[in-house]
Amino acid sequence: MAKMLSLAQDMDMGSLNKITYPQRLFVWLLGYSLLLVGCFIGFQYLREKEFKVEEMNTRLQLINSYIITELDKGYDIKDIDLSDFHLIDNLRVSIISVNGNVVYDNSTLSLPNDNHLDREEIRMALKLDSGYTIRRHSESTGNYYFYSATKSDQGYVVRTALPYSVSLSALLKADYTFLWTMGVISLAMCILGYIATRRIGIHIIRLNKFAENVETGIKISNTEPFPNDELGSISNHIIRLYAKLQQAYIDRDKEHKAVLHEQLEKERIKKQLTNNINHELKTPVASIKICIETLIAHKNLSEEKRDLFLQRCLSNTERLQHLLTDVSLITRMDDGNNSILKEKINLSEIIGNVVEDRLMIANSKGIIIENDVAGELFMNGNTSLLEAVFNNLVDNAIAYSDGSLIRINLIYENDKKLVLSFSDNGTGVPPEHLSRLFERFYRIDKGRSRSVGGTGLGLSIVKNAILLHGGTISVENLLTGGLSFKITLLKNS
């Protein structure tokens, strides 16, 4: 039995679910509207009927009072003229004595013998001086009447009655014009309710479908905007929040991929750096080892050859020292901005010191350095890193440019940044190598680079140091010959 009841409930719920939300909403609204209109019509009908009954009773009470007045004057009941009251035909007039007996009745040939004190209108008249009964069967005549009774000062009761015929029944019925009017109003309310509930229901169904798609993970790329009303505004807010959430997920995934890629790239670069350092260390270490082994094995070498081997050891030791210094600087920059101390510095002074330190070496090779950066160029930066930038650029130009002039210019300056140019008039670089100049351990001519003590990290140090100052660096071949580096640095990085 419980299973059957559960099954029946499931069937009822299934049938209910087949009805769409707009239909259910319309049914509820329709039921509410009909109940409201029905209550109003019922209330109005009772009030109208009560008003008509009171009006009819008032007319009969006037007749009763007139009869009592005439009787008190001594007129016989049969001689009283009631034509002035424009009565409905078949008016019944009765007189009931104090003890409840009918002493006069114009509708019967013989007076009834039963006591009338139990009649409702008589009881009310004796108690309240007047009373009425809307519809009651008369045992004397066999008809139905509307009774109205009035008590006289002497205690007897005058009662008038109208037959409850078709005419009186129609008179007491409600006004059908009002009922039809209310019916039309109800129909209009239903139509307007259907339009309103259908519109609201469609919006809610769309929003529900949207929520289902979101819950099931269906990607929603384009949604038709909702109407410009309160419900539409709420729906559009929800969709915009969903779009922002989706965008946040996309941005998060992109950021996660970028961080992952950056981490993998750092690991790759560190691995590559380790391999390159290992490779770069082998040559000078092997050379030093050979020189020392030769000196130990051949103690009778001439002073000239001994000095040659010692000079080679010193040269390779210096190369190792440069390599370790550069690697230390690269590692320091890879640790990021948090490990780099920045303070207010004068870049013009740093460039001037670098030029002054390299001037003797440049002049010995017939190279002129023109420093056109003058005045004060204050910025927030790290002195040692910026010294490394210009040291490496000058050293590279001296070692590899094959030119006779190095020029440093200030191109542009404002409150936020400054732009510098570093160029030479040498042979330049083959175009296919330009994009890789800033790679670690990248050499255009490996043999020549090693012969002059280069580590292959100089331009990589330059680029990373500039990036840590929020700047950029680019390189190009000049049409007149040589390389030109364009450096942009932020003053408050």
Side-chain angles (χ1 to χ4, degrees):
M1 183 66 182
K3 290 183 178 179
M4 293 179 63
L5 181 59
S6 176
L7 181 60
Q9 291 176 347
D10 292 341
M11 291 177 64
D12 291 341
M13 289 299 296
S15 300
L16 182 62
N17 291 331
K18 289 180 181 179
I19 303 175
T20 63
Y21 180 79
Q23 292 173 339
R24 294 201 302 272
L25 188 61
F26 174 69
V27 169
W28 280 105
L29 184 61
L30 179 63
Y32 173 77
S33 300
L34 292 179
L35 179 63
L36 182 64
V37 172
C39 291
F40 180 75
I41 291 175
F43 174 74
Q44 187 64 24
Y45 171 77
L46 292 176
R47 285 197 61 188
E48 185 179 358
K49 185 175 180 180
E50 183 180 354
F51 171 76
K52 291 182 177 181
V53 168
E54 290 290 343
E55 184 181 15
M56 180 62 66
N57 180 56
T58 300
R59 290 173 61 187
L60 293 178
Q61 287 291 325
L62 288 174
I63 298 173
N64 293 344
S65 298
Y66 176 74
I67 293 174
I68 292 173
T69 301
E70 294 298 305
L71 289 175
D72 289 343
K73 291 179 179 180
Y75 288 99
D76 187 83
I77 183 64
K78 296 179 182 179
D79 298 330
I80 298 175
D81 184 13
L82 301 177
S83 60
D84 292 338
F85 290 95
H86 305 287
L87 297 174
I88 299 174
D89 294 340
N90 301 322
L91 177 66
R92 181 180 177 183
V93 179
S94 304
I95 298 176
I96 296 90
S97 66
V98 176
N99 56 10
N101 296 321
V102 178
V103 295
Y104 175 77
D105 192 326
N106 66 347
S107 62
T108 59
L109 297 176
S110 60
L111 297 176
N113 296 322
D114 53 332
N115 193 289
H116 279 51
L117 292 179
D118 61 342
R119 303 294 195 270
E120 181 179 0
E121 70 276 6
I122 303 300
R123 281 201 318 272
M124 292 176 63
L126 293 175
K127 183 177 181 181
L128 303 174
D129 294 333
S130 66
Y132 66 88
T133 300
I134 296 176
R135 187 174 186 271
R136 194 183 71 242
H137 182 262
S138 173
E139 296 179 0
S140 302
T141 63
N143 296 324
Y144 287 90
Y145 289 93
F146 179 96
Y147 293 99
S148 178
T150 305
K151 177 184 175 184
S152 69
D153 293 336
Q154 287 75 24
Y156 62 89
V157 175
V158 174
R159 184 182 68 180
T160 52
L162 290 174
Y164 207 90
S165 60
V166 175
S167 59
L168 181 59
S169 177
L171 179 65
L172 295 180
K173 282 185 178 179
D175 187 358
Y176 284 105
T177 303
F178 169 76
L179 296 178
W180 279 111
T181 302
M182 293 305 300
V184 172
I185 293 174
S186 300
L187 180 61
M189 289 176 63
C190 292
I191 294 173
L192 292 175
Y194 173 76
I195 295 172
T197 54
R198 183 175 181 274
R199 186 179 181 187
I200 295 173
I202 290 174
H203 298 172
I204 294 177
I205 288 175
R206 284 184 57 197
L207 192 59
N208 182 57
K209 185 64 177 178
F210 173 81
E212 288 178 355
N213 291 337
V214 171
E215 184 179 10
T216 54
I218 298 176
K219 187 175 181 181
I220 304 171
S221 58
N222 186 19
T223 302
E224 181 183 352
F226 284 82
N228 187 23
D229 54 21
E230 286 76 7
L231 182 60
S233 178
I234 294 172
S235 303
N236 288 326
H237 279 308
I238 293 173
I239 292 175
R240 281 195 291 271
L241 287 174
Y242 169 77
K244 289 181 180 179
L245 182 62
Q246 290 296 101
Q247 187 61 44
Y249 286 149
I250 294 172
D251 294 342
R252 181 203 63 185
D253 294 340
K254 285 183 179 179
E255 186 177 351
H256 178 72
K257 288 180 181 178
V259 171
L260 182 61
H261 179 268
E262 183 180 355
Q263 185 177 356
L264 293 174
E265 187 65 16
K266 283 184 178 180
E267 292 177 359
R268 184 190 68 81
I269 291 174
K270 285 182 179 180
K271 185 176 181 181
Q272 183 184 24
L273 179 61
T274 302
N275 293 335
N276 289 334
I277 292 171
N278 183 47
H279 178 72
E280 292 294 328
L281 288 173
K282 284 181 180 179
T283 301
V285 168
S287 179
I288 293 171
K289 181 181 180 183
I290 291 172
C291 290
I292 294 174
E293 287 177 348
T294 302
L295 289 173
I296 293 174
H298 301 85
K299 296 181 179 180
N300 297 324
L301 286 175
S302 63
E303 288 293 329
E304 183 181 354
K305 287 187 177 181
R306 183 178 293 275
D307 290 342
L308 178 62
F309 282 117
L310 290 174
Q311 188 64 40
R312 286 181 180 177
C313 286
L314 179 61
S315 176
N316 282 287
T317 302
E318 289 176 350
R319 183 180 172 191
L320 285 174
Q321 184 180 2
H322 291 156
L323 179 61
L324 292 174
T325 301
D326 287 349
V327 169
S328 176
L329 189 56
I330 285 284
T331 304
R332 182 182 168 200
M333 287 189 292
D334 282 344
D335 289 338
N337 277 329
N338 294 332
S339 63
I340 305 299
L341 177 63
K342 294 179 181 179
E343 58 186 354
K344 188 176 181 180
I345 52 117
N346 186 358
L347 184 62
S348 178
E349 183 179 337
I350 291 174
I351 295 173
N353 292 335
V354 170
V355 171
E356 186 177 349
D357 289 342
R358 298 297 189 274
L359 198 57
M360 186 178 294
I361 298 174
N363 290 338
S364 68
K365 294 189 177 185
I367 299 174
I368 299 172
I369 301 178
E370 292 183 357
N371 179 18
D372 296 331
V373 180
E376 296 179 337
L377 291 177
F378 288 107
M379 63 174 289
N380 190 38
N382 182 273
T383 301
S384 62
L385 288 184
L386 293 173
E387 285 178 348
V389 168
F390 291 98
N391 278 332
N392 278 288
L393 288 174
V394 173
D395 288 344
N396 273 8
I398 293 172
Y400 308 118
S401 70
D402 294 329
S404 59
L405 177 65
I406 298 172
R407 180 179 286 113
I408 307 173
N409 292 322
L410 175 64
I411 300 175
Y412 174 77
E413 179 196 10
N414 62 15
D415 294 337
K416 295 183 179 179
K417 67 180 180 178
L418 51 90
V419 182
L420 301 168
S421 171
F422 183 96
S423 62
D424 63 70
N425 65 345
T427 57
V429 171
E432 64 270 18
H433 295 289
L434 282 176
S435 61
R436 303 188 62 188
L437 280 183
F438 297 106
E439 291 182 12
R440 296 174 183 180
F441 296 105
Y442 184 76
R443 295 183 176 91
I444 298 173
D445 186 345
K446 296 182 180 180
R448 184 185 177 193
S449 177
R450 287 195 177 95
S451 67
V452 296
T455 62
L457 294 173
L459 290 181
S460 178
I461 290 172
V462 169
K463 182 176 182 180
N464 282 278
I466 290 173
L467 290 176
L468 286 172
H469 285 81
T472 60
I473 183 170
S474 60
V475 61
E476 63 179 356
N477 283 313
L478 295 172
L479 296 177
T480 56
L483 279 179
S484 176
F485 293 87
K486 184 179 179 182
I487 302 168
T488 301
L489 291 171
L490 298 181
K491 287 189 172 182
N492 297 302
S493 59

